[in-house]
């Protein structure tokens, strides 16, 4: 099932989207909201796979709402104004429904959502029953596996695949060897540091690295690859140097 929310400030339009969702077997309505602010409040304590979102709304329009999400769910925009189509696709919208639209148009958009989710299969989505989610991640019975919670899914990750973790305000970017883009999760560095094994080390207040992924150490920087140079913070230099001493061969 694809969990989704419907957002529209017009009650009749919202009622129509809700009715159409009920007619698509693989869609599950998680919430219906009459404003983007209401939807944002819902997403603070729940997750969805997709959003059907009107653009022209008071206080916060749908386009700005989607742009404000750190990791937005898949989105289908609904609006009476065709000039928003190009901007909608710039934010990677799955589809764009021009009002008034019928069930056939809605079904087409729903099918595209399904196809997009299935094409992202390598980032495996699981239900929260797959583990006990604590502060943004869950432990699996496999010691090499954790589940990271994003805004709209829970992703299974092999710990050995993690290259490094980067702090970003109250969020973390988890950079993997197997993916070009990081997984962004609401979690503290302290919690992540406590969960990771001793093959990981914090080298800066903003970075935890996988020691097995280091390519080079150059002065006060750790080089993970040709494009990634991470600083070594003053508070962490001594501990990191002790690790290097245990691995160093030579005079």
């Amino acid at each position: 099932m694809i969990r989704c929310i419907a957002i529209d400030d017009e009650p009749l339009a919202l009622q129509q989207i809700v009715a159409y969702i009920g007619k698509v077997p693989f869609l599950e309505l998680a919430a219906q909201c009459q404003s983007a602010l209401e939807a944002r409040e819902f997403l603070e304590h729940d997750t969805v796979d997709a959003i059907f979102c009107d653009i022209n709304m008071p206080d916060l329009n749908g386009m700005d709402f989607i742009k404000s999400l750190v990791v937005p769910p898949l989105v289908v925009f609904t609006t009476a104004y065709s000039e928003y189509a190009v901007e909608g696709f710039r934010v990677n919208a799955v589809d764009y429904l021009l009002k008034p639209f019928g069930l056939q148009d809605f079904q087409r958009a729903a099918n595209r959502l399904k196809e997009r989710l299935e094409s992202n299969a390598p980032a495996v989505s699981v239900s929260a029953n797959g583990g006990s989610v604590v502060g943004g991640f869950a432990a699996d019975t496999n010691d090499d596996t954790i589940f990271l919670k994003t805004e709209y899914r829970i992703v299974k990750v092999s710990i050995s695949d993690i290259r490094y973790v980067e702090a970003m305000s109250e969020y973390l970017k988890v950079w993997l060897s197997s993916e070009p883009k990081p997984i962004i999760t609401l979690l503290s560095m302290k919690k992540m540091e406590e969960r990771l094994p001793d093959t990981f080390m914090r080298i800066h207040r903003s970075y935890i690295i996988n020691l097995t992924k280091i390519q080079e150490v150059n002065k006060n920087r750790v080089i993970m690859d040709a494009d990634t140079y991470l600083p070594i913070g003053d508070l962490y230099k001594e501990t990191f140097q002790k690790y290097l001493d245990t691995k160093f061969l030579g005079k």
Side-chain angles (χ1 to χ4, degrees):
M1 296 292 285
I2 299 174
R3 297 188 78 244
C4 56
I5 57 175
I7 312 169
D8 201 306
D9 64 309
E10 299 176 6
L12 290 178
L14 182 60
Q15 184 179 340
Q16 181 192 49
I17 296 173
V18 169
Y20 284 166
I21 289 173
K23 293 178 183 295
V24 179
F26 55 81
L27 293 183
E28 176 188 351
L29 182 67
Q32 51 181 300
C33 306
Q34 287 192 278
S35 72
L37 297 178
E38 184 182 344
R40 176 183 285 172
E41 184 176 335
F42 173 83
L43 290 175
E44 286 177 356
H45 60 79
D46 209 336
T47 59
V48 296
D49 302 302
I51 297 176
F52 291 90
C53 185
D54 186 29
I55 294 178
N56 268 24
M57 293 185 290
D59 298 323
L60 179 64
N61 72 49
M63 196 74 67
D64 290 338
F65 166 62
I66 297 300
K67 290 177 181 177
S68 74
L69 299 177
V70 177
V71 184
L74 297 181
V75 60
V76 173
F77 284 117
T78 63
T79 184
Y81 302 92
S82 60
E83 61 267 25
Y84 285 113
V86 173
E87 188 178 356
F89 288 115
R90 282 177 182 164
V91 297
N92 203 28
V94 173
D95 209 344
Y96 178 97
L97 293 173
L98 187 62
K99 297 177 181 179
F101 53 86
L103 178 58
Q104 185 175 357
D105 295 323
F106 185 87
Q107 179 74 62
R108 182 199 69 228
N111 288 338
R112 287 182 176 174
L113 281 174
K114 188 171 183 288
E115 290 169 5
R116 180 75 68 87
L117 283 170
E118 289 174 349
S119 70
N120 291 336
V124 181
S125 295
V126 298
S127 71
N129 295 330
S132 174
V133 176
V134 181
F137 72 81
D140 189 13
T141 53
N142 181 345
D143 288 341
D144 189 50
T145 303
I146 56 175
F147 293 107
L148 294 176
K149 185 177 181 182
T150 72
E151 286 187 345
Y152 66 101
R153 57 181 179 160
I154 300 173
V155 183
K156 186 177 181 179
V157 174
S158 292
I159 292 174
S160 57
D161 192 32
I162 299 173
R163 295 172 59 234
Y164 66 96
V165 179
E166 178 182 1
M168 184 185 67
S169 187
E170 69 268 34
Y171 292 88
L172 297 182
K173 288 183 178 181
V174 181
W175 294 87
L176 306 178
S177 297
S178 60
E179 298 288 341
K181 294 183 179 180
I183 295 171
I184 300 176
T185 185
L186 180 61
L187 188 65
S188 70
M189 286 288 272
K190 185 175 184 295
K191 287 286 187 183
M192 179 62 85
E193 194 173 11
E194 289 172 352
R195 177 63 183 87
L196 293 173
D198 56 10
T199 50
F200 287 78
M201 181 179 291
R202 191 164 183 175
I203 61 165
H204 188 275
R205 62 186 178 87
S206 298
Y207 296 103
I208 299 171
I209 64 169
N210 186 337
L211 297 169
T212 68
K213 306 288 187 181
I214 296 174
Q215 289 192 359
E216 186 179 331
V217 179
N218 189 333
K219 296 182 179 178
N220 292 325
R221 297 183 301 179
V222 173
I223 301 172
M224 306 300 288
D225 57 48
D227 301 313
T228 309
Y229 294 68
L230 305 180
I232 303 170
D234 291 340
L235 292 176
Y236 306 91
K237 281 181 182 179
E238 184 177 352
T239 302
F240 184 64
Q241 185 59 51
K242 286 180 179 178
Y243 164 76
L244 291 180
D245 290 343
T246 66
K247 300 293 183 179
F248 187 75
L249 294 179
K251 296 182 180 180

